Amino acid sequence: MTAKYSKEAIIESSRCDMGGRLAYAHAFSMFQDIAGEHADLIGVSLPALMKRDLFWLTVRTKVRFYKRPSMLEPVSIMTWPEAPDKVRANRDYAIEAPGGVTLIEGKTEWAVLSISGGRPQPMKDIYPPELTFEDRIVLPEPFIRINTEFSDAYDFGEYTVRSTDIDLGRHMNNTAYVHALMGLFSVEELSKLDIYEIEVSFRSPTFEGQTIKYLKRNSENIIDIAGFVEDKNVFLARITLRK
């Protein structure tokens, strides 16, 4: 049983932005989709874990964009989990052009919670014992710590969580946060942004009908955004622009 899973794909038109390239948020969606396929193959899909009273929880995720592929461009998409520590585990991703040229890389930090008790579970009991792990690690640097003090930020809009944002866990899906966040930018703003990296930290679940209010601050090539439901900080994001 190997830890790496890959497949050939094309960049569908439904995943592209106004410039005909893979939209930033849809890179997160593609990585989530292939992670789900691989997890099912190795017996740790969300439905399989829920039968064990367990639930996958996304803690934070990061995607780095070297070159976004264009509409209908053929690519290889791949994923593999890193060897876990006690209660956290990283999963790595890559999208490559023909010939093995890396276009996009990503990493997600996960935990597994008990559904009934809500407590983190040891990762050593999650993956099958016969699973072998890949040596390759993408984005090896630690996840960043975004300053949670946003008193110097300004309003950046709001978003009410819809039924279409809700996942099997009955809260807002982690990729829906990114889609909602990127939707705050206008077409003109997005066309001017040359994004190198997006990192998101998920701090508290949100539910249908709740309204997320966004605060934004800029510094050089960094855009930090915080989402609040009432006074609770539910997520943090950092967008790093290419210098």
Side-chain angles (χ1 to χ4, degrees), residues 46-107:
L46 182 55
L49 285 190
M50 292 181 75
K51 293 178 181 179
R52 298 161 57 185
D53 189 44
L54 301 174
F55 188 85
W56 280 112
L57 176 70
T58 309
V59 180
R60 44 195 174 181
T61 187
K62 173 166 58 179
V63 174
R64 183 172 294 168
F65 301 89
Y66 302 108
K67 181 182 178 183
R68 287 186 294 144
S70 299
M71 186 183 300
L72 302 182
E73 183 174 336
V75 295
S76 298
I77 180 170
M78 57 202 70
T79 185
W80 60 98
E82 298 177 16
D85 62 18
K86 290 184 179 180
V87 293
R88 298 284 177 92
N90 289 336
R91 175 174 281 274
D92 293 352
Y93 313 90
I95 295 176
E96 296 181 352
V101 177
T102 301
L103 302 174
I104 303 173
E105 291 180 318
K107 181 188 294 288

Side-chain angles (χ1 to χ4, degrees), residues 100-235:
V101 177
T102 301
L103 302 174
I104 303 173
E105 291 180 318
K107 181 188 294 288
T108 300
E109 183 181 70
W110 301 84
V112 172
L113 301 184
S114 164
I115 296 174
S116 57
R119 297 181 61 82
Q121 301 301 299
M123 291 302 303
K124 66 179 180 64
D125 299 327
I126 304 303
Y127 291 121
E130 65 271 24
L131 186 68
T132 58
F133 294 97
E134 294 283 314
D135 292 331
R136 178 184 176 186
I137 295 177
V138 304
L139 311 181
E141 68 277 5
F143 286 96
I144 58 175
R145 293 186 178 273
I146 301 172
N147 185 357
T148 58
E149 175 54 58
F150 272 76
S151 59
D152 59 342
Y154 59 90
D155 291 341
F156 190 50
E158 59 182 41
Y159 180 84
T160 299
V161 181
R162 281 100 166 138
S163 59
T164 50
D165 299 319
I166 303 302
D167 63 16
L168 194 58
R170 297 290 177 165
H171 50 65
M172 190 173 184
N173 183 270
N174 66 86
T175 63
Y177 284 93
V178 185
H179 283 274
L181 170 63
M182 299 310 296
L184 297 176
F185 293 94
S186 69
V187 168
E188 182 179 2
E189 288 171 327
L190 276 179
S191 65
K192 293 178 180 178
L193 293 181
D194 187 6
I195 296 176
Y196 175 64
E197 188 172 280
I198 301 175
E199 182 166 332
V200 183
S201 175
F202 305 95
R203 298 172 60 84
S204 184
T206 57
F207 304 92
E208 181 183 4
Q210 291 184 319
T211 296
I212 304 173
K213 295 183 179 181
Y214 299 85
L215 295 177
K216 176 174 175 279
R217 64 175 178 232
N218 299 352
S219 60
E220 296 183 359
N221 67 318
I222 300 294
I223 302 172
D224 284 341
I225 300 171
F228 291 86
V229 173
E230 297 178 347
D231 293 329
K232 179 183 291 186
N233 179 213
V234 296
F235 85 95

Side-chain angles (χ1 to χ4, degrees), residues 20-45:
R21 294 187 296 172
L22 177 65
Y24 292 109
H26 275 289
F28 288 81
S29 297
M30 290 181 71
F31 287 155
Q32 182 188 65
D33 290 343
I34 196 168
E37 292 179 35
H38 185 222
D40 185 54
L41 289 174
I42 60 176
V44 293
S45 66

